[in-house]
Amino acid sequence: MFLAQSFVFSLLAITGLALPSNEGVKHNNMARSTKYAPKEPPLTTPWTDKVGTKPWPEYPRPLLQRSDWKNLNGIWKYQNASDLNAVDSPPFGKDLAQEVLIPSCIESGLSGIQTDWGLYSWFSTSFDVSSEWKNDKVLLNFGAVDYEATVFVNGQKAGFHRGGYYRFALDVTEHVKFDQSNELLVFVHDPTDDGDYVIPIGKQTLRPSHIFYTPCSGIWQSVWLEAAPTNYITQLDLDANMDGQVNVTVHSSANGTSAQAKVTVHKDGKTVATHEGPTNKPFQFTVSSPKLWSPDSPNLYNVTVSLDKDEVESYIGFRTISRGVIDGVERPLLNGEFIFMFGTLDQGYWPDGLYTPPNHEAMVYDLKVLKDLGFNMVRKHIKVETDLFYRACDEIGLLVIQDMPSLRPLQSVLPDAKQQAEFARQLDVLVNQFKSYPSIAIWVIYNEGWGQITDTYPEFELTDRVRQLDPTRLVDSTTGWVDHGAGDFSDNHHYANPQCGTPFYSTASSPYDPSRIGFQGEFGGIGNNVSIEHLWNNQAAIDTINQTYEIDTTIEAWNYRSHLLLGELEDQIRLFACSGGVWTQTTDVEGEVNGLITYDRRVSRVDEKQWKADIQALYDAAAARSSNSTRDSL
Ligand SMILES: *[C@@H]1O[C@H](CO)[C@@H](O)[C@H](O)[C@H]1NC(C)=O
Ligand SMILES: *[C@@H]1O[C@H](CO)[C@@H](O)[C@H](O)[C@H]1NC(C)=O
Ligand SMILES: *[C@@H]1O[C@H](CO)[C@@H](O)[C@H](O)[C@H]1NC(C)=O
Ligand SMILES: *[C@@H]1O[C@H](CO)[C@@H](O)[C@H](O)[C@H]1NC(C)=O
Ligand SMILES: *[C@@H]1O[C@H](CO)[C@@H](O)[C@H](O)[C@H]1NC(C)=O
Ligand SMILES: *[C@@H]1O[C@H](CO)[C@@H](O)[C@H](O)[C@H]1NC(C)=O
Ligand SMILES: *[C@@H]1O[C@H](CO)[C@@H](O)[C@H](O)[C@H]1NC(C)=O
């Protein structure tokens, strides 16, 4: 059996024939797909059982909301495909082998598949479009598909998208039939770190071990349809600053600038400003004495934008992120004042859903844990979240340091010219899609040299590019290690103790450069092995726990060590030029047991009273260095 099968495979390889992806179904058209049921993941969360079959009912795009929409999340069908050629023979009209939950990563228990082979996949569903939308454009939206998606509607190719973390919309008007069932078929190719592929993957790997985790493949964010008029708003770029100036670009499907867009700003049901401007180029207006946005008072204003017959809802927060010298030290400023940013390294991984949080409540739970302890920031680590995550940060009041998802780790496999160009293109997409969230304060380009070409210093050109696309944020060009002087930060990574803006440093991180902002992009990372009930129960992962920087055998010891490390950071704020820090990390993940809370979100290691006091002490130390009148004691 095994031999015969290998023989068939090698024959196909020789003749270059594609294995028909729908072979099993072809001869048995009436075959029913295996019913959806979640698979038991190696660890569950309090939300695993609450997911159900209608996940993520929320409108997925809070910065550009349309009222006429239809959620396509739910039970779809899935089938493994053999290779890239499968896309040339789509299984139109066929029942795929298994039911699958959308959105999900097909490697996750919640998907109902939990495969370890997510390279090539077919997904299908059917949907109705009401004839009420007959005079409209019908837009098919995907929150994110990892990594490449080829979309077919009613047997015709409707579009292709590359990039695992980004939203895309396809105008499928010409492909749909009204008041009838429409077939949606999606081919997904996700190489992760297979073969020669060097693509943005963050922490995903086909060979999970310790700090690298199970990959996510497929349609891992919401899918929805919406109706829009012929000339419709495709994107809104919004920035609102501490002086009340609002800078808006209303992008429209018709690219001309002649049509006028109307912007109305509301607060608590009252209109505070109305302005008209051209489409597809920036225009400005002012709101007088707005309530500013900050982590302590996350004031948001609702915005309505209309263009011809289109009308969308959005929002803004008035704040200014900048950089300034205070008492001789380079500092990040929020609304003109030094803000000491203190957050966690936040991986955004879930034992039941991997990249896809089980639900909105679960996603917000992590953020509330941080907010309650007094963190004012979260470093979204080499992953991009759903839009609803950033909306939650805007509402709760947590600044976001947003990392670009890294290419392959270390400098083991560097990108060639084409792969580097694709990395740069996706960095553009990241900044353009997410730059209107008020909470995002800093863009990170490279993490610890991963995928960073070192002979030509590409971080300088990429930094200029990010600043051109978004002049309102700071850029942390290289967080940790391979620093050649680009960007706004001199960012050290060191475990377990910090070396923030200090005259001492480690061989891996460059010495503090006083011409930029001194920052501790990662420290802490101390672990504690709670018990098997709260571990990712996978022997290979458990066998890597001993690679953690430091294991404290009791939770009391872990808190004692945390106290010392936070105290060191406080000293560095007081004595040197430390402007912010990132504690590793929010939760345990797979073989890492160094979270504030366990991977299942059921155990907190944190002595809350002690941590709250230690975090407050950081802000107090920073406040004492926050004005030009304080003596610089260095
Ligand atoms: C998926 O297809 C590949 C190639 O045909 C095969 O090696 C693999 O076993 C399949 N995996 C599953 C889970 O069906
Ligand atoms: C408005 O925003 C655009 C980018 O969207 C930027 O290029 C431009 O400089 C901004 N204008 C002002 C006055 O802030
Ligand atoms: C508008 O411009 C974009 C980007 O240049 C292009 O992709 C798109 O096809 C244009 N749309 C129309 C309707 O001309
Ligand atoms: C914005 O609108 C939402 C609902 O549309 C409402 O719940 C909220 O209170 C509004 N916020 C402000 C600041 O007006
Ligand atoms: C502090 O002093 C510097 C130069 O002496 C000046 O540029 C800066 O604006 C001052 N900052 C504040 C907050 O007063
Ligand atoms: C960690 O544990 C694994 C599995 O028990 C073992 O093979 C390895 O040698 C250990 N490594 C260290 C650094 O102790
Ligand atoms: C962690 O705990 C698990 C489960 O009790 C155990 O199997 C493993 O050996 C422990 N590893 C370390 C490094 O303490």
Side-chain angles (χ1 to χ4, degrees):
M1 174 70 185
F2 181 73
L3 270 176
Q5 211 169 14
S6 322
F7 177 65
V8 173
F9 275 122
S10 50
L11 246 190
L12 289 165
I14 290 163
T15 55
L17 282 173
L19 254 184
S21 59
N22 52 341
E23 197 166 51
V25 186
K26 223 178 214 166
H27 311 289
N28 189 1
N29 238 333
M30 302 318 287
R32 296 291 294 272
S33 315
T34 310
K35 280 278 170 224
Y36 170 73
K39 289 254 165 53
E40 181 72 23
L43 185 67
T44 64
T45 69
W47 302 276
T48 309
D49 294 336
K50 297 183 182 162
V51 172
T53 56
K54 292 268 169 220
W56 291 92
E58 299 83 7
Y59 187 86
R61 197 184 47 203
L63 279 175
L64 202 168
Q65 301 188 41
R66 280 202 176 82
S67 49
D68 266 353
W69 74 291
K70 183 173 179 168
N71 198 333
L72 297 188
N73 293 344
I75 305 300
W76 290 31
K77 288 172 186 172
Y78 158 83
Q79 192 165 294
N80 184 11
S82 55
D83 58 32
L84 261 185
N85 296 324
V87 75
D88 298 328
S89 37
F92 296 128
K94 304 282 162 59
D95 223 1
L96 305 184
Q98 284 167 279
E99 289 189 345
V100 62
L101 187 73
I102 297 295
S104 72
C105 306
I106 54 172
E107 292 85 352
S108 72
L110 282 172
S111 70
I113 309 295
Q114 207 170 27
T115 182
D116 57 6
W117 203 88
L119 271 71
Y120 311 98
S121 316
W122 284 107
F123 296 91
S124 74
T125 189
S126 61
F127 61 88
D128 293 339
V129 186
S130 156
S131 55
E132 283 171 23
W133 288 10
K134 211 154 200 154
N135 298 318
D136 291 323
K137 292 277 183 199
V138 180
L139 307 176
L140 173 60
N141 295 280
F142 291 82
V145 181
D146 198 2
Y147 173 72
E148 291 172 341
T150 310
V151 180
F152 300 88
V153 175
N154 291 333
Q156 288 167 301
K157 184 172 164 181
F160 171 83
H161 181 265
R162 174 175 292 137
Y165 303 90
Y166 310 108
R167 207 185 322 117
F168 60 99
L170 304 173
D171 177 350
V172 295
T173 318
E174 62 178 283
H175 302 303
V176 295
K177 297 174 290 187
F178 295 93
D179 291 334
Q180 291 178 51
S181 179
N182 293 277
E183 181 190 52
L184 172 56
L185 194 60
V186 184
F187 180 75
V188 176
H189 173 217
D190 184 12
T192 310
D193 54 354
D194 183 41
D196 297 333
Y197 283 95
V198 179
I199 61 175
I201 49 174
K203 287 280 185 126
Q204 305 177 77
T205 176
L206 294 173
R207 294 161 290 275
S209 180
H210 193 50
I211 67 164
F212 299 104
Y213 320 134
T214 306
C216 169
S217 304
I219 304 167
W220 68 278
Q221 290 188 23
S222 291
V223 186
W224 76 105
L225 281 174
E226 63 194 344
T230 314
N231 187 18
Y232 63 96
I233 298 163
T234 54
Q235 188 184 321
L236 286 176
D237 298 337
L238 297 163
D239 175 57
N241 68 25
M242 61 184 278
D243 302 317
Q245 194 181 49
V246 186
N247 183 10
V248 185
T249 307
V250 180
H251 298 266
S252 73
S253 55
N255 285 346
T257 54
S258 54
Q260 291 283 301
K262 186 175 163 191
V263 181
T264 310
V265 181
H266 326 264
K267 180 79 179 167
D268 307 324
K270 291 196 198 81
T271 298
V272 298
T274 301
H275 192 87
E276 287 195 22
T279 47
N280 300 304
K281 64 178 194 186
F283 63 85
Q284 293 83 35
F285 62 93
T286 302
V287 171
S288 60
S289 351
K291 288 186 184 161
L292 301 188
W293 185 94
S294 73
D296 289 339
S297 55
N299 287 304
L300 298 173
Y301 285 71
N302 284 343
V303 169
T304 306
V305 182
S306 53
L307 167 68
D308 291 344
K309 293 179 187 129
D310 200 14
E311 184 171 287
V312 300
E313 294 298 321
S314 189
Y315 67 95
I316 48 178
F318 291 87
R319 87 280 169 274
T320 299
I321 311 282
S322 62
R323 179 178 156 181
V325 176
I326 309 249
D327 248 6
V329 181
E330 289 284 343
R331 299 295 193 186
L333 310 180
L334 174 66
N335 300 332
E337 289 177 14
F338 169 33
I339 178 158
F340 185 84
M341 298 189 196
F342 192 57
T344 53
L345 194 73
D346 196 83
Q347 310 272 3
Y349 259 83
W350 299 84
D352 43 10
L354 302 173
Y355 260 15
T356 310
N359 61 24
H360 190 266
E361 182 189 308
M363 184 182 77
V364 171
Y365 174 81
D366 279 7
L367 299 173
K368 287 194 169 153
V369 165
L370 301 180
K371 184 73 181 178
D372 287 348
L373 288 171
F375 290 97
N376 64 4
M377 174 267 279
V378 61
R379 176 175 169 210
K380 181 39 64 185
H381 190 42
I382 53 179
K383 180 194 177 190
V384 186
E385 292 288 351
T386 67
D387 287 87
L388 292 167
F389 175 91
Y390 301 94
R391 160 112 209 181
C393 292
D394 292 339
E395 286 177 340
I396 291 169
L398 279 170
L399 291 159
V400 178
I401 296 181
Q402 178 61 52
D403 291 11
M404 173 66 190
S406 307
L407 303 172
R408 285 196 187 184
L410 313 174
Q411 279 148 312
S412 48
V413 189
L414 289 172
D416 62 23
K418 208 172 148 203
Q419 291 160 340
Q420 178 65 13
E422 180 59 19
F423 175 78
R425 186 192 70 83
Q426 290 189 32
L427 177 63
D428 274 21
V429 176
L430 170 70
V431 174
N432 279 329
Q433 274 196 12
F434 293 89
K435 67 182 174 184
S436 297
Y437 288 101
S439 54
I440 295 179
I442 299 169
W443 301 109
V444 170
I445 300 174
Y446 286 112
N447 174 66
E448 296 185 350
W450 299 0
Q452 184 184 347
I453 296 163
T454 46
D455 50 357
T456 56
Y457 298 5
E459 69 270 24
F460 281 93
E461 192 185 329
L462 294 175
T463 301
D464 288 346
R465 177 68 183 159
V466 171
R467 285 177 173 154
Q468 182 196 339
L469 294 174
D470 180 8
T472 70
R473 302 312 200 299
L474 300 179
V475 184
D476 190 351
S477 307
T478 56
T479 184
W481 306 359
V482 195
D483 180 22
H484 306 111
D488 297 306
F489 291 86
S490 175
D491 185 349
N492 179 293
H493 286 192
H494 193 256
Y495 288 101
N497 62 306
Q499 305 175 322
C500 185
T502 60
F504 48 89
Y505 58 95
S506 45
T507 46
S509 266
S510 324
Y512 164 59
D513 164 12
S515 73
R516 291 175 296 156
I517 298 165
F519 208 77
Q520 191 66 39
E522 291 182 23
F523 79 113
I526 56 175
N528 163 257
N529 195 4
V530 176
S531 70
I532 189 69
E533 292 76 28
H534 304 286
L535 283 179
W536 176 251
N537 198 353
N538 168 301
Q539 196 55 47
I542 289 173
D543 288 346
T544 66
I545 289 175
N546 61 4
Q547 293 173 30
T548 305
Y549 304 99
E550 169 183 318
I551 300 274
D552 304 322
T553 57
T554 64
I555 287 189
E556 290 71 25
W558 184 89
N559 277 293
Y560 166 72
R561 289 286 296 139
S562 303
H563 175 64
L564 293 186
L565 296 169
L566 293 170
E568 274 195 64
L569 192 70
E570 183 199 330
D571 288 345
Q572 294 168 11
I573 300 165
R574 224 163 13 84
L575 298 170
F576 308 119
C578 178
S579 291
V582 178
W583 177 271
T584 301
Q585 54 188 343
T586 311
T587 73
D588 295 353
V589 189
E590 302 198 355
E592 286 187 290
V593 295
N594 52 5
L596 301 176
I597 54 181
T598 49
Y599 196 23
D600 58 4
R601 277 78 171 168
R602 292 186 206 265
V603 177
S604 169
R605 295 189 174 87
V606 171
D607 174 336
E608 287 192 20
K609 197 165 162 242
Q610 178 206 300
W611 269 78
K612 283 181 181 170
D614 287 345
I615 291 175
Q616 187 55 48
L618 304 177
Y619 300 132
D620 293 346
R625 302 285 306 272
S626 290
S627 85
N628 274 346
S629 59
T630 46
R631 259 274 331 123
D632 189 346
S633 58
L634 284 185

